[in-house]
Amino acid sequence: MGERTTRGPGPGLRASLFPLTGPLRFLLLSSFLIPLGSFMVLPFMSVFLHERLGMGLGTVGVVLAVASLVQFSGGIVGGALADRIGLRRTMLWALVVRTAGFAGLLLALRWPPLAIWALVLTCCGAALYLPANKAYLVHGVDDERRPAFLSAGNAALNAGMAVGPLIAGPFVLSSPGWLFVAVTALFLAVTAGHARLPGTTAEHPTGSEETAPSGLLAGVALLPFVANALAFYLYFHFQHFLAVYAVERASSAFYSVVLLLRFTLVIVVQPLASGLIRRMPYALALAVGFTGLAAGLTVLAAGTRTALLAGGALITLGDIVLFLKNDLEALHRSPRSDAVVFGQQRLAAGLGACLSGVLGGQLYGLSERAGHTGWFWLLAAVQCLLLPPLLLTLRRRTALRPVPDGDHEGALTRDDTDGRIPGR
């Protein structure tokens, strides 16, 4: 086996990313355009369904909860599909499904019940697309450069999420028809571009089909999977409930400023810090990330405008470390293809986000009825400090297990994060 690739400082960000091939440039551009189009519509769906189509808020809540669960947890199906039919074909089918969803929203202006199915279609398309997109982006890239490519993709994604609502806000209720036409046209163009992407060696996986793990959760990297679920569970306290908390104490406009700060930090900081995060020991990354979440949630309890900004910044810095490092560790530890690994991590994210919505909603309601919503954030911060140590038990169980003779020199273990073959 060659020298381990994770030692040393590694190349800088510019050296890691450039020169970019034409397909990778297009994929990064798509990583901006797809969330741009999606977030011209999706953040306003609760308002659109309630005010424009006349759905009750209870029904709207159920629809959005189901759509969110499909979008996150369905990634495990997307990863498995990419493993079977290839990365490019999976991305194409995903974009066809998502384009049909946005076209369905246009038709829902005349037949409102179609809106529910159209929204679910867009979320199914997102679930299928993201694992294949990430796997294509890092296919054949060595371990030292993978963090830079993943963080560049995340930066493009967050930039699209930030810009989309700014463009669409004035039109979503006044001219939704033209908005849905524009988004559908954008997705048609992006789909046509994906049809011209070259295939990869992952389009036709090699190896013995009889011995390769094939179940959706076969070969899952347990510690990164659980750590990702826990990170999303704690982070989504912020994602789900900051809006109602911030609007009560400041305004909807100020809440938008907090979100803009979050997007800006992800876009700027994560690519610059990607090399450092790659070299950081996993235990230290978990400690830094969860401490950042705990500090930010504690600051939010103060409820002032300064606290909202500072708390949002600290939480974002924590999740920058956690989300990237968990993906990198999952890629290192799992024998499955990249697309399957990303799909498994998306499942963990969906489970965590769903649990946060269910339990967090109950806790926020209790604190609101008690007249002290600040206690909600303090309780979440306490969980950031008490729950992560449970991960140490998983770490001990997966460490230093003997490996059968003939497996990579007979020396690697499930916890050896240098044993991942780039591009698998």
Side-chain angles (χ1 to χ4, degrees), residues 60-279:
V60 169
V62 171
V63 170
L64 295 181
V66 171
S68 297
L69 186 61
V70 168
Q71 182 166 340
F72 274 100
S73 299
I76 194 168
V77 178
L81 181 64
D83 214 25
R84 181 171 295 273
I85 70 172
L87 303 178
R88 185 175 64 91
R89 273 190 244 173
T90 300
M91 288 190 290
L92 272 174
W93 278 111
L95 288 171
V96 168
V97 170
R98 207 163 191 192
T99 303
F102 286 114
L105 290 175
L106 177 63
L107 298 176
L109 292 173
R110 292 192 175 273
W111 190 44
L114 185 61
I116 297 175
W117 299 105
L119 178 60
V120 171
L121 269 183
T122 66
C123 293
C124 287
L128 295 175
Y129 180 83
L130 193 60
N133 169 274
K134 283 187 168 185
Y136 195 105
L137 192 62
V138 300
H139 177 73
V141 176
D142 60 66
D143 282 0
E144 288 186 350
R145 301 176 68 203
R146 283 188 165 204
F149 278 80
L150 286 176
S151 59
N154 289 338
L157 181 105
N158 278 271
M161 290 165 63
V163 175
L166 298 178
I167 295 175
F171 309 107
V172 69
L173 290 179
S174 61
S175 305
W178 288 109
L179 179 63
F180 295 152
V181 167
V183 172
T184 302
L186 174 63
F187 270 84
L188 283 172
V190 171
T191 303
H194 277 68
R196 298 177 60 86
L197 285 175
T200 68
T201 55
E203 302 297 308
H204 304 286
T206 59
S208 173
E209 295 183 1
E210 296 179 359
T211 59
S214 58
L216 292 179
L217 285 175
V220 66
L222 185 60
L223 180 54
F225 182 89
V226 176
N228 210 45
L230 181 57
F232 270 84
Y233 162 70
L234 294 168
Y235 167 73
F236 263 75
H237 284 69
F238 170 80
Q239 182 80 1
H240 283 314
F241 305 108
L242 182 66
V244 62
Y245 184 76
V247 170
E248 286 179 353
R249 285 155 181 77
S251 65
S252 57
F254 191 81
Y255 170 64
S256 299
V257 172
V258 176
L259 292 184
L260 185 60
L261 173 64
R262 168 185 155 64
F263 288 130
T264 302
L265 286 174
V266 174
I267 293 166
V268 175
V269 174
Q270 191 176 71
L272 294 176
S274 60
L276 176 62
I277 295 171
R278 175 187 66 83
R279 298 189 299 272

Side-chain angles (χ1 to χ4, degrees), residues 323-404:
F323 297 164
L324 179 57
K325 190 64 174 180
N326 282 330
D327 277 353
L328 292 173
E329 285 295 311
L331 289 171
H332 279 304
R333 296 171 185 236
S334 175
R336 303 298 301 275
S337 70
D338 293 343
V340 170
V341 172
F342 286 127
Q344 291 171 342
Q345 290 298 96
R346 287 288 287 181
L347 172 62
L351 294 174
C354 184
L355 183 62
S356 178
V358 174
L359 296 182
Q362 297 299 319
L363 292 174
Y364 194 91
L366 288 174
S367 64
E368 188 175 47
R369 287 191 291 273
H372 298 285
T373 49
W375 287 104
F376 169 78
W377 305 107
L378 293 177
L379 182 58
V382 169
Q383 293 180 78
C384 289
L385 299 177
L386 295 182
L387 294 178
L390 297 178
L391 295 173
L392 294 177
T393 61
L394 288 177
R395 191 167 185 266
R396 293 191 190 101
R397 289 179 182 178
T398 58
L400 300 178
R401 291 190 176 182
V403 177

